Amino acid sequence: MTHHLVVTQNITLDGRIEFLDPWFDPSPKDQDVADLHDEMDRQGDDTVAMLLGRRTFEDFRSYWPHHTDEPAGASLERLQKYVVSRTLGDPGWQNSTVLSGEPLEEVRRLKEPGDGDLVVTGSITLTHALMEAGLVDELRLFVYPAIQGRGRTLISEDVSLLDLTPLDARMFRGGVTFLRYSLH
């Protein structure tokens, strides 16, 4: 059995995953998003480890340890976190391991043993490399009702994914749509 590599992204209607405008809040308090948070929490419970690029890891490390009273923060505190970086030394966050070797080989090695979801989120450069290498098993997209018009997208311009198998689609009260696809 191997780990199932899942890319989970918050994304705009025009396919942007880079946050340049305030269309996404990692800790909304609005009751209109309770069903969305329930789904995110359920997915967090199925996750055995997170795989992050250095910049996303540093953003998470500066925010989530101070928000462990929220389900996402509590989940990230307990999860094993792998950060792909050739420059980061001590990760400075519990349950974190720096993967300093060749990124795609490190990920192939992580996928080999075990069962459960190995989840990548944010980490745009890493996501692009994983998609190009064909290492991603599943996409989970939380599509926000916003158009940003600029910023990096889910995949690089060199990649075409034509045989996605739909697994799930639903809309949450706050207008976010969840789309889930298998890539194999």
mmCIF file of all heavy atoms in Angstrom, residues 125-157:
data_model
loop_
_atom_site.group_PDB
_atom_site.id
_atom_site.type_symbol
_atom_site.label_atom_id
_atom_site.label_comp_id
_atom_site.label_asym_id
_atom_site.label_seq_id
_atom_site.Cartn_x
_atom_site.Cartn_y
_atom_site.Cartn_z
ATOM 1 N N THR A 125 4.959 26.136 -6.375
ATOM 2 C CA THR A 125 6.070 25.585 -7.151
ATOM 3 C C THR A 125 6.128 24.068 -6.999
ATOM 4 O O THR A 125 6.296 23.342 -7.983
ATOM 5 C CB THR A 125 7.406 26.232 -6.716
ATOM 6 O OG1 THR A 125 7.303 27.653 -6.894
ATOM 7 C CG2 THR A 125 8.581 25.689 -7.510
ATOM 8 N N LEU A 126 5.976 23.578 -5.778
ATOM 9 C CA LEU A 126 5.969 22.139 -5.523
ATOM 10 C C LEU A 126 4.785 21.477 -6.215
ATOM 11 O O LEU A 126 4.929 20.426 -6.847
ATOM 12 C CB LEU A 126 5.937 21.867 -4.016
ATOM 13 C CG LEU A 126 5.869 20.405 -3.580
ATOM 14 C CD1 LEU A 126 7.066 19.617 -4.089
ATOM 15 C CD2 LEU A 126 5.764 20.324 -2.054
ATOM 16 N N THR A 127 3.606 22.071 -6.125
ATOM 17 C CA THR A 127 2.418 21.522 -6.787
ATOM 18 C C THR A 127 2.647 21.398 -8.287
ATOM 19 O O THR A 127 2.342 20.363 -8.888
ATOM 20 C CB THR A 127 1.174 22.398 -6.496
ATOM 21 O OG1 THR A 127 0.889 22.330 -5.098
ATOM 22 C CG2 THR A 127 -0.040 21.924 -7.273
ATOM 23 N N HIS A 128 3.196 22.438 -8.897
ATOM 24 C CA HIS A 128 3.481 22.388 -10.333
ATOM 25 C C HIS A 128 4.416 21.228 -10.663
ATOM 26 O O HIS A 128 4.168 20.462 -11.611
ATOM 27 C CB HIS A 128 4.100 23.701 -10.809
ATOM 28 C CG HIS A 128 3.134 24.834 -10.876
ATOM 29 N ND1 HIS A 128 3.510 26.084 -11.293
ATOM 30 C CD2 HIS A 128 1.810 24.937 -10.569
ATOM 31 C CE1 HIS A 128 2.465 26.902 -11.262
ATOM 32 N NE2 HIS A 128 1.423 26.214 -10.805
ATOM 33 N N ALA A 129 5.485 21.060 -9.891
ATOM 34 C CA ALA A 129 6.452 19.980 -10.147
ATOM 35 C C ALA A 129 5.803 18.602 -9.979
ATOM 36 O O ALA A 129 6.044 17.695 -10.793
ATOM 37 C CB ALA A 129 7.653 20.120 -9.217
ATOM 38 N N LEU A 130 4.985 18.431 -8.950
ATOM 39 C CA LEU A 130 4.320 17.149 -8.709
ATOM 40 C C LEU A 130 3.327 16.817 -9.823
ATOM 41 O O LEU A 130 3.238 15.664 -10.252
ATOM 42 C CB LEU A 130 3.610 17.165 -7.355
ATOM 43 C CG LEU A 130 4.498 17.305 -6.129
ATOM 44 C CD1 LEU A 130 3.658 17.546 -4.881
ATOM 45 C CD2 LEU A 130 5.405 16.102 -5.966
ATOM 46 N N MET A 131 2.600 17.828 -10.283
ATOM 47 C CA MET A 131 1.641 17.613 -11.375
ATOM 48 C C MET A 131 2.392 17.244 -12.657
ATOM 49 O O MET A 131 1.999 16.311 -13.355
ATOM 50 C CB MET A 131 0.796 18.868 -11.600
ATOM 51 C CG MET A 131 -0.047 19.263 -10.399
ATOM 52 S SD MET A 131 -1.505 18.276 -10.174
ATOM 53 C CE MET A 131 -2.633 19.183 -11.174
ATOM 54 N N GLU A 132 3.463 17.968 -12.962
ATOM 55 C CA GLU A 132 4.241 17.689 -14.170
ATOM 56 C C GLU A 132 4.837 16.285 -14.140
ATOM 57 O O GLU A 132 4.923 15.620 -15.171
ATOM 58 C CB GLU A 132 5.356 18.724 -14.330
ATOM 59 C CG GLU A 132 4.860 20.085 -14.747
ATOM 60 C CD GLU A 132 5.953 21.148 -14.738
ATOM 61 O OE1 GLU A 132 7.139 20.803 -14.881
ATOM 62 O OE2 GLU A 132 5.594 22.328 -14.582
ATOM 63 N N ALA A 133 5.236 15.806 -12.956
ATOM 64 C CA ALA A 133 5.861 14.487 -12.816
ATOM 65 C C ALA A 133 4.842 13.352 -12.744
ATOM 66 O O ALA A 133 5.219 12.181 -12.712
ATOM 67 C CB ALA A 133 6.753 14.464 -11.571
ATOM 68 N N GLY A 134 3.553 13.680 -12.694
ATOM 69 C CA GLY A 134 2.523 12.645 -12.626
ATOM 70 C C GLY A 134 2.438 11.956 -11.275
ATOM 71 O O GLY A 134 1.976 10.817 -11.190
ATOM 72 N N LEU A 135 2.848 12.626 -10.204
ATOM 73 C CA LEU A 135 2.854 12.018 -8.872
ATOM 74 C C LEU A 135 1.555 12.238 -8.097
ATOM 75 O O LEU A 135 1.345 11.624 -7.052
ATOM 76 C CB LEU A 135 4.033 12.548 -8.053
ATOM 77 C CG LEU A 135 5.410 12.108 -8.541
ATOM 78 C CD1 LEU A 135 6.510 12.828 -7.768
ATOM 79 C CD2 LEU A 135 5.555 10.597 -8.394
ATOM 80 N N VAL A 136 0.681 13.102 -8.587
ATOM 81 C CA VAL A 136 -0.552 13.430 -7.872
ATOM 82 C C VAL A 136 -1.627 12.404 -8.205
ATOM 83 O O VAL A 136 -1.878 12.105 -9.360
ATOM 84 C CB VAL A 136 -1.026 14.857 -8.229
ATOM 85 C CG1 VAL A 136 -2.340 15.178 -7.535
ATOM 86 C CG2 VAL A 136 0.049 15.876 -7.859
ATOM 87 N N ASP A 137 -2.257 11.869 -7.163
ATOM 88 C CA ASP A 137 -3.334 10.889 -7.330
ATOM 89 C C ASP A 137 -4.712 11.529 -7.380
ATOM 90 O O ASP A 137 -5.623 11.003 -8.014
ATOM 91 C CB ASP A 137 -3.301 9.878 -6.175
ATOM 92 C CG ASP A 137 -1.984 9.118 -6.123
ATOM 93 O OD1 ASP A 137 -1.621 8.505 -7.138
ATOM 94 O OD2 ASP A 137 -1.318 9.162 -5.067
ATOM 95 N N GLU A 138 -4.862 12.653 -6.664
ATOM 96 C CA GLU A 138 -6.192 13.251 -6.547
ATOM 97 C C GLU A 138 -6.087 14.756 -6.376
ATOM 98 O O GLU A 138 -5.161 15.257 -5.742
ATOM 99 C CB GLU A 138 -6.888 12.645 -5.324
ATOM 100 C CG GLU A 138 -8.315 13.034 -5.152
ATOM 101 C CD GLU A 138 -8.960 12.325 -3.970
ATOM 102 O OE1 GLU A 138 -8.816 11.086 -3.840
ATOM 103 O OE2 GLU A 138 -9.630 13.020 -3.173
ATOM 104 N N LEU A 139 -7.062 15.469 -6.949
ATOM 105 C CA LEU A 139 -7.213 16.913 -6.758
ATOM 106 C C LEU A 139 -8.461 17.174 -5.940
ATOM 107 O O LEU A 139 -9.520 16.589 -6.211
ATOM 108 C CB LEU A 139 -7.402 17.626 -8.097
ATOM 109 C CG LEU A 139 -6.201 17.828 -8.977
ATOM 110 C CD1 LEU A 139 -6.638 18.439 -10.304
ATOM 111 C CD2 LEU A 139 -5.179 18.708 -8.299
ATOM 112 N N ARG A 140 -8.354 18.058 -4.958
ATOM 113 C CA ARG A 140 -9.504 18.524 -4.187
ATOM 114 C C ARG A 140 -9.468 20.044 -4.238
ATOM 115 O O ARG A 140 -8.558 20.658 -3.680
ATOM 116 C CB ARG A 140 -9.430 18.034 -2.743
ATOM 117 C CG ARG A 140 -9.540 16.538 -2.632
ATOM 118 C CD ARG A 140 -9.421 16.077 -1.210
ATOM 119 N NE ARG A 140 -9.357 14.629 -1.147
ATOM 120 C CZ ARG A 140 -8.909 13.955 -0.100
ATOM 121 N NH1 ARG A 140 -8.509 14.599 0.990
ATOM 122 N NH2 ARG A 140 -8.862 12.636 -0.126
ATOM 123 N N LEU A 141 -10.427 20.611 -4.916
ATOM 124 C CA LEU A 141 -10.441 22.050 -5.131
ATOM 125 C C LEU A 141 -11.621 22.689 -4.420
ATOM 126 O O LEU A 141 -12.764 22.271 -4.603
ATOM 127 C CB LEU A 141 -10.529 22.351 -6.635
ATOM 128 C CG LEU A 141 -9.443 21.714 -7.494
ATOM 129 C CD1 LEU A 141 -9.705 22.004 -8.969
ATOM 130 C CD2 LEU A 141 -8.067 22.183 -7.078
ATOM 131 N N PHE A 142 -11.336 23.703 -3.620
ATOM 132 C CA PHE A 142 -12.356 24.523 -2.993
ATOM 133 C C PHE A 142 -12.402 25.805 -3.815
ATOM 134 O O PHE A 142 -11.526 26.658 -3.697
ATOM 135 C CB PHE A 142 -12.018 24.801 -1.527
ATOM 136 C CG PHE A 142 -12.121 23.578 -0.663
ATOM 137 C CD1 PHE A 142 -11.023 22.758 -0.444
ATOM 138 C CD2 PHE A 142 -13.340 23.246 -0.076
ATOM 139 C CE1 PHE A 142 -11.127 21.626 0.345
ATOM 140 C CE2 PHE A 142 -13.449 22.111 0.726
ATOM 141 C CZ PHE A 142 -12.345 21.299 0.935
ATOM 142 N N VAL A 143 -13.406 25.902 -4.690
ATOM 143 C CA VAL A 143 -13.504 27.000 -5.644
ATOM 144 C C VAL A 143 -14.311 28.139 -5.019
ATOM 145 O O VAL A 143 -15.494 27.972 -4.702
ATOM 146 C CB VAL A 143 -14.153 26.538 -6.967
ATOM 147 C CG1 VAL A 143 -14.160 27.687 -7.977
ATOM 148 C CG2 VAL A 143 -13.418 25.325 -7.532
ATOM 149 N N TYR A 144 -13.654 29.298 -4.853
ATOM 150 C CA TYR A 144 -14.275 30.457 -4.225
ATOM 151 C C TYR A 144 -14.927 31.347 -5.280
ATOM 152 O O TYR A 144 -14.395 31.496 -6.383
ATOM 153 C CB TYR A 144 -13.233 31.254 -3.425
ATOM 154 C CG TYR A 144 -12.918 30.569 -2.119
ATOM 155 C CD1 TYR A 144 -12.163 29.400 -2.094
ATOM 156 C CD2 TYR A 144 -13.422 31.059 -0.924
ATOM 157 C CE1 TYR A 144 -11.910 28.741 -0.890
ATOM 158 C CE2 TYR A 144 -13.172 30.414 0.271
ATOM 159 C CZ TYR A 144 -12.422 29.253 0.278
ATOM 160 O OH TYR A 144 -12.187 28.601 1.464
ATOM 161 N N PRO A 145 -16.072 31.941 -4.961
ATOM 162 C CA PRO A 145 -16.768 32.789 -5.915
ATOM 163 C C PRO A 145 -16.078 34.150 -6.041
ATOM 164 O O PRO A 145 -16.579 35.177 -5.595
ATOM 165 C CB PRO A 145 -18.178 32.909 -5.329
ATOM 166 C CG PRO A 145 -17.974 32.754 -3.855
ATOM 167 C CD PRO A 145 -16.814 31.807 -3.712
ATOM 168 N N ALA A 146 -14.895 34.121 -6.628
ATOM 169 C CA ALA A 146 -14.091 35.326 -6.811
ATOM 170 C C ALA A 146 -13.265 35.173 -8.088
ATOM 171 O O ALA A 146 -12.894 34.057 -8.458
ATOM 172 C CB ALA A 146 -13.154 35.514 -5.610
ATOM 173 N N ILE A 147 -13.013 36.285 -8.733
ATOM 174 C CA ILE A 147 -12.122 36.313 -9.889
ATOM 175 C C ILE A 147 -11.005 37.291 -9.539
ATOM 176 O O ILE A 147 -11.259 38.463 -9.256
ATOM 177 C CB ILE A 147 -12.875 36.741 -11.164
ATOM 178 C CG1 ILE A 147 -13.913 35.664 -11.510
ATOM 179 C CG2 ILE A 147 -11.901 36.972 -12.311
ATOM 180 C CD1 ILE A 147 -14.816 36.012 -12.654
ATOM 181 N N GLN A 148 -9.784 36.802 -9.542
ATOM 182 C CA GLN A 148 -8.646 37.627 -9.145
ATOM 183 C C GLN A 148 -7.962 38.255 -10.361
ATOM 184 O O GLN A 148 -7.400 39.336 -10.260
ATOM 185 C CB GLN A 148 -7.661 36.775 -8.336
ATOM 186 C CG GLN A 148 -6.514 37.545 -7.749
ATOM 187 C CD GLN A 148 -5.751 36.709 -6.757
ATOM 188 O OE1 GLN A 148 -5.973 36.828 -5.563
ATOM 189 N NE2 GLN A 148 -4.864 35.864 -7.232
ATOM 190 N N GLY A 149 -7.943 37.567 -11.490
ATOM 191 C CA GLY A 149 -7.394 38.132 -12.709
ATOM 192 C C GLY A 149 -5.886 38.137 -12.823
ATOM 193 O O GLY A 149 -5.340 38.483 -13.862
ATOM 194 N N ARG A 150 -5.204 37.741 -11.786
ATOM 195 C CA ARG A 150 -3.739 37.683 -11.809
ATOM 196 C C ARG A 150 -3.286 36.715 -10.736
ATOM 197 O O ARG A 150 -4.063 36.340 -9.873
ATOM 198 C CB ARG A 150 -3.138 39.059 -11.607
ATOM 199 C CG ARG A 150 -3.380 39.648 -10.242
ATOM 200 C CD ARG A 150 -3.187 41.163 -10.282
ATOM 201 N NE ARG A 150 -3.010 41.814 -9.008
ATOM 202 C CZ ARG A 150 -3.794 41.728 -7.956
ATOM 203 N NH1 ARG A 150 -4.824 40.919 -7.955
ATOM 204 N NH2 ARG A 150 -3.555 42.400 -6.850
ATOM 205 N N GLY A 151 -2.034 36.316 -10.809
ATOM 206 C CA GLY A 151 -1.485 35.371 -9.838
ATOM 207 C C GLY A 151 -1.277 34.006 -10.454
ATOM 208 O O GLY A 151 -1.788 33.700 -11.530
ATOM 209 N N ARG A 152 -0.508 33.199 -9.747
ATOM 210 C CA ARG A 152 -0.184 31.853 -10.249
ATOM 211 C C ARG A 152 -1.394 30.937 -10.180
ATOM 212 O O ARG A 152 -2.272 31.102 -9.349
ATOM 213 C CB ARG A 152 1.007 31.290 -9.485
ATOM 214 C CG ARG A 152 2.266 32.097 -9.811
ATOM 215 C CD ARG A 152 3.516 31.492 -9.255
ATOM 216 N NE ARG A 152 3.521 31.649 -7.810
ATOM 217 C CZ ARG A 152 4.369 31.042 -6.998
ATOM 218 N NH1 ARG A 152 5.272 30.211 -7.479
ATOM 219 N NH2 ARG A 152 4.316 31.231 -5.705
ATOM 220 N N THR A 153 -1.399 29.959 -11.082
ATOM 221 C CA THR A 153 -2.528 29.054 -11.236
ATOM 222 C C THR A 153 -2.202 27.659 -10.706
ATOM 223 O O THR A 153 -1.073 27.385 -10.302
ATOM 224 C CB THR A 153 -2.938 28.965 -12.717
ATOM 225 O OG1 THR A 153 -1.828 28.473 -13.467
ATOM 226 C CG2 THR A 153 -3.352 30.317 -13.255
ATOM 227 N N LEU A 154 -3.186 26.777 -10.767
ATOM 228 C CA LEU A 154 -3.065 25.412 -10.257
ATOM 229 C C LEU A 154 -1.941 24.629 -10.928
ATOM 230 O O LEU A 154 -1.221 23.892 -10.277
ATOM 231 C CB LEU A 154 -4.396 24.674 -10.434
ATOM 232 C CG LEU A 154 -4.436 23.214 -10.032
ATOM 233 C CD1 LEU A 154 -4.191 23.074 -8.525
ATOM 234 C CD2 LEU A 154 -5.766 22.595 -10.411
ATOM 235 N N ILE A 155 -1.823 24.761 -12.241
ATOM 236 C CA ILE A 155 -0.779 24.027 -12.954
ATOM 237 C C ILE A 155 0.008 24.991 -13.826
ATOM 238 O O ILE A 155 -0.467 26.072 -14.173
ATOM 239 C CB ILE A 155 -1.353 22.874 -13.817
ATOM 240 C CG1 ILE A 155 -2.344 23.413 -14.840
ATOM 241 C CG2 ILE A 155 -1.993 21.816 -12.953
ATOM 242 C CD1 ILE A 155 -2.815 22.380 -15.833
ATOM 243 N N SER A 156 1.218 24.584 -14.184
ATOM 244 C CA SER A 156 2.023 25.408 -15.075
ATOM 245 C C SER A 156 1.475 25.284 -16.492
ATOM 246 O O SER A 156 0.709 24.376 -16.806
ATOM 247 C CB SER A 156 3.489 24.972 -15.017
ATOM 248 O OG SER A 156 3.623 23.661 -15.523
ATOM 249 N N GLU A 157 1.870 26.196 -17.354
ATOM 250 C CA GLU A 157 1.356 26.220 -18.722
ATOM 251 C C GLU A 157 1.779 25.017 -19.549
ATOM 252 O O GLU A 157 1.199 24.750 -20.587
ATOM 253 C CB GLU A 157 1.799 27.508 -19.410
ATOM 254 C CG GLU A 157 1.122 28.731 -18.831
ATOM 255 C CD GLU A 157 1.494 29.998 -19.572
ATOM 256 O OE1 GLU A 157 2.021 29.920 -20.694
ATOM 257 O OE2 GLU A 157 1.245 31.072 -19.016
#
